[in-house]
Amino acid sequence: SDILLNCGIIKKPLTSIIRKGKEHYICDKKLATLLDQKNTSEYRYLTEKNEDIDLDNHKEIKNDIKMKIKVKSCNNSCLYVHKCRYKSFYNKNFEENYDFQICNHNYFLADLKAKNRKNKPLLPQYQLAIIDEAHKLEDVSRDMFGDKLEYKEIHNIMEKSSNFLSNREDYYEVIGTLK
């Protein structure tokens, strides 16, 4: 950005954001529940308004605690919806225009799936996608969008199709034209 600015190629600094799944962030409702338990007061600092809600930036938090306080789902029926820092963070970062959006293969495919189902996309408009961990894209795509059939299942489908068709009068007409 500095080089491009100094050379007069751009007029303002480039902006970027790393897009991650919601499970990387603190859920205020779950955090409040955790803080109601005994021996968890050391995590009270996480409730401060300016505290970073990205769990990846909190190496001091044990993994079992992270599992208890991460966002799993986020909807408007939550009691914390009006003071939810994750929801505010998500909305703010979704509305802003970024020159670069960085995401991994799972996030990218989840965005495609959301758009395919006519749901709100996870990635705002973009013209070019650079995908971290793209070497995993093919396998994850197949798992997320495809169905796997084993030989035995294909054989059963063919057999049932054949039985169905052989019981129809027009089956013989179709077979006759294929010969």
Side-chain angles (χ1 to χ4, degrees):
S1 221
D2 288 342
I3 293 170
L4 295 173
L5 281 167
N6 290 336
C7 292
I9 296 172
I10 60 175
K11 293 184 172 129
K12 61 180 185 165
L14 295 171
T15 58
S16 65
I17 186 168
I18 296 175
R19 303 271 183 201
K20 301 185 213 180
K22 60 185 169 275
E23 67 278 355
H24 290 271
Y25 298 99
I26 294 173
C27 171
D28 286 324
K29 180 181 176 187
K30 290 181 179 184
L31 179 60
T33 301
L34 177 80
L35 292 174
D36 285 343
Q37 299 171 0
K38 294 179 181 176
N39 304 321
T40 58
S41 60
E42 76 246 42
Y43 299 110
R44 189 154 309 282
Y45 71 95
L46 294 171
T47 62
E48 294 174 18
K49 186 175 178 156
N50 294 327
E51 187 58 46
D52 187 358
I53 63 167
D54 187 339
L55 287 167
D56 295 337
N57 296 334
H58 289 283
K59 305 294 182 212
E60 77 281 3
I61 301 175
K62 296 175 187 165
N63 282 338
D64 63 322
I65 298 295
K66 286 182 180 182
M67 295 299 286
K68 291 178 183 177
I69 63 173
K70 71 181 181 177
V71 175
K72 285 188 183 166
S73 65
C74 190
N75 57 54
N76 291 331
S77 63
C78 176
L79 298 173
Y80 281 71
V81 71
H82 298 295
K83 56 184 176 181
C84 176
R85 293 179 295 162
Y86 170 72
K87 193 89 164 168
S88 296
F89 168 80
Y90 177 83
N91 289 338
K92 176 184 172 285
N93 288 321
F94 195 84
E95 291 166 3
E96 290 184 25
N97 287 327
Y98 291 93
D99 298 306
F100 297 95
Q101 299 180 66
I102 304 158
C103 68
N104 69 11
H105 57 287
N106 282 322
Y107 197 90
F108 182 76
L109 292 172
D111 175 63
L112 291 178
K113 201 169 197 176
K115 289 175 182 171
N116 191 37
R117 292 180 174 170
K118 308 282 190 256
N119 293 336
K120 184 177 179 181
L122 299 175
L123 290 168
Q125 280 300 111
Y126 58 87
Q127 294 177 345
L128 175 70
I130 299 172
I131 304 166
D132 185 25
E133 300 179 5
H135 61 283
K136 300 176 183 178
L137 189 58
E138 184 179 353
D139 290 336
V140 174
S141 297
R142 192 174 295 115
D143 290 343
M144 195 176 282
F145 291 105
D147 288 325
K148 294 179 181 177
L149 291 176
E150 294 182 14
Y151 175 77
K152 194 186 290 185
E153 293 169 309
I154 293 171
H155 182 72
N156 284 341
I157 290 170
M158 290 175 64
E159 193 173 285
K160 287 178 183 177
S161 299
S162 176
N163 290 340
F164 171 75
L165 288 173
S166 64
N167 292 329
R168 295 182 46 147
E169 291 176 16
D170 57 351
Y171 169 75
Y172 296 102
E173 292 173 28
V174 171
I175 293 302
T177 60
L178 293 175
K179 288 183 180 179

